[in-house]
Amino acid sequence: MDQIKLTQFSHGGGCGCKIAPGVLSDLLARMPAGVLPADLLVGTDTADDAAVYRLNDRQAVVATTDFFTPIVDDPYDFGRIAATNALSDVYAMGGTPIMALAIVGMPLDKLPPEVIGRILEGGASVCREAGIPVAGGHSIDVLEPIYGLVGIGVVDPARVRTNAGAREGDVLLLSKPLGVGILSAGLKKGILTPAGYAEMVKWTTTLNRVGARLAHIDGVHAITDVTGFGLAGHLLEMCRGANLEARLEFDRLPVIDEALHLVRDGVATGASSRNWASYGASVRLPPQAEEWKRKLVTDPQTSGGLLIACADSAVDEVQAAIAEVQGESGAVIGRLAAGDAEVVIG
């Protein structure tokens, strides 16, 4: 069992295997438009993290699903990372998870039951940490291993935080450092150090549970999680939802140390280039910016942090909440302003 490396079975791991945002937009545009019920508070129109359906004036259901191929070789770590990533979408809407369903696809002719069992154990351990059961699921025999969850949560309809809620003048904060995709590329190349791997697992298994608390801070207007489309891509979704321009300060972006060294040496995922091809026309970097800076802001983040738009008056309370939940306060990285829906990086 110890000799099996899960990443050898996947063409792209973690959120780096997502369909490129440009292609996804084309696919979604082909979906037939139907009559949407008034109680569907959040659907597909604002590129938010989960669907939200109102049950009554005080309760709404948050529903999401997320799964991917292995980003690490260790089966237990893979299960933990995939589960943490899936539940993040519930937290990003301001919700609290109440249960999960497992999504399991495994090449049964290549992986022994012990390995598959460890993946499921890893996912279940994260659900226990979140205080929810794995209440069911579905499994199939496939060519590449995939694992993830359907996450079901609840939220007060008045506390739902969507991309469209961001306001002009809002401060932008990021709750986790960037660089997970870069570290995963380093792992595949065999150049990631044990310390770098430990940092990667630490951040990808840190639940974004603070999102449920942030939704109760009146000055917090929008929350999204940063995953496969990279910081620039998910921030651009927020800009488009609110019809605002984002102005980022590159030097204030938090980055995992080893990821910074690797990307400066040219290490990056193919998904980074696909991301840029999809939305680069709406992202402005300084003309003299080095290539690695573009790779960093488009780096796919598996189980990345929360991107938060809030009033100046709420910044201290937001950072205190993040610090209390995960030990570090996150970083102020920029601001939203009137303008075209694009990301300007200085």
Side-chain angles (χ1 to χ4, degrees), residues 7 84 90 225 232 301:
T7 55
T84 305
V90 176
D225 63 340
Q301 302 303 291

Side-chain angles (χ1 to χ4, degrees), residues 175-177 203 206-208 210 321-330:
S175 68
K176 293 183 186 181
W203 288 114
T206 296
L207 285 164
N208 280 325
V210 71
I322 296 171
E324 184 176 342
V325 172
Q326 66 182 42
E328 299 184 26
S329 61

Side-chain angles (χ1 to χ4, degrees), residues 177-342:
L178 302 172
V180 169
I182 296 160
L183 295 179
S184 71
L187 178 65
K188 276 206 163 187
K189 290 177 177 291
I191 58 175
L192 186 67
T193 69
Y197 181 82
E199 279 291 290
M200 179 180 171
V201 173
K202 167 191 169 182
W203 288 114
T204 53
T205 58
T206 296
L207 285 164
N208 280 325
R209 64 171 80 226
V210 71
R213 292 183 55 178
L214 296 178
H216 287 270
I217 299 175
D218 289 335
V220 172
H221 301 136
I223 307 171
T224 191
D225 63 340
V226 179
T227 54
F229 299 159
L231 173 63
H234 290 284
L235 178 53
L236 186 59
E237 290 179 335
M238 186 179 287
C239 291
R240 289 170 174 167
N243 196 28
L244 294 170
E245 176 183 282
R247 299 173 183 173
L248 291 185
E249 298 178 49
F250 186 88
D251 291 341
R252 302 189 72 169
L253 298 181
V255 186
I256 298 170
D257 286 343
E258 187 159 337
L260 184 59
H261 295 310
L262 288 173
V263 75
R264 283 177 176 270
D265 289 338
V267 177
T269 69
S272 176
S273 296
R274 293 194 297 274
N275 283 341
W276 183 259
S278 294
Y279 59 68
S282 297
V283 179
R284 283 194 280 151
L285 281 159
Q288 72 279 10
E290 299 95 328
E291 176 73 5
W292 67 266
K293 292 185 177 180
R294 176 175 68 80
K295 296 290 190 183
L296 181 62
V297 298
T298 58
D299 183 48
Q301 302 303 291
T302 298
S303 192
L306 296 179
L307 178 63
I308 305 141
C310 70
D312 283 283
S313 59
V315 171
D316 289 345
E317 190 174 357
V318 167
Q319 289 195 300
I322 296 171
E324 184 176 342
V325 172
Q326 66 182 42
E328 299 184 26
S329 61
V332 173
I333 61 172
R335 189 177 291 271
L336 294 171
D340 296 330
E342 60 181 12

Side-chain angles (χ1 to χ4, degrees), residues 13 20 23 29 40 56 64 68 92 104 133 138 152-154 186 202 206 209 213 277 292 300 309 314 322 335:
V23 177
L40 181 64
N56 52 55
T64 185
F68 46 62
V104 184
H138 186 65
I152 306 295
V154 292
K202 167 191 169 182
T206 296
R209 64 171 80 226
R213 292 183 55 178
W292 67 266
I322 296 171
R335 189 177 291 271

Side-chain angles (χ1 to χ4, degrees), residues 3-4 8 17-18 25 36 42 46 114 124 129 156-157 161 187 193 214-215 219 234 237 263 294 302 319 330:
Q3 296 178 351
I4 291 178
Q8 70 181 303
C17 68
K18 290 177 70 170
S25 295
L36 299 179
V42 182
T46 53
E114 308 87 67
E129 183 183 349
D156 184 333
R161 294 296 181 259
L187 178 65
T193 69
L214 296 178
H234 290 284
E237 290 179 335
V263 75
R294 176 175 68 80
T302 298
Q319 289 195 300

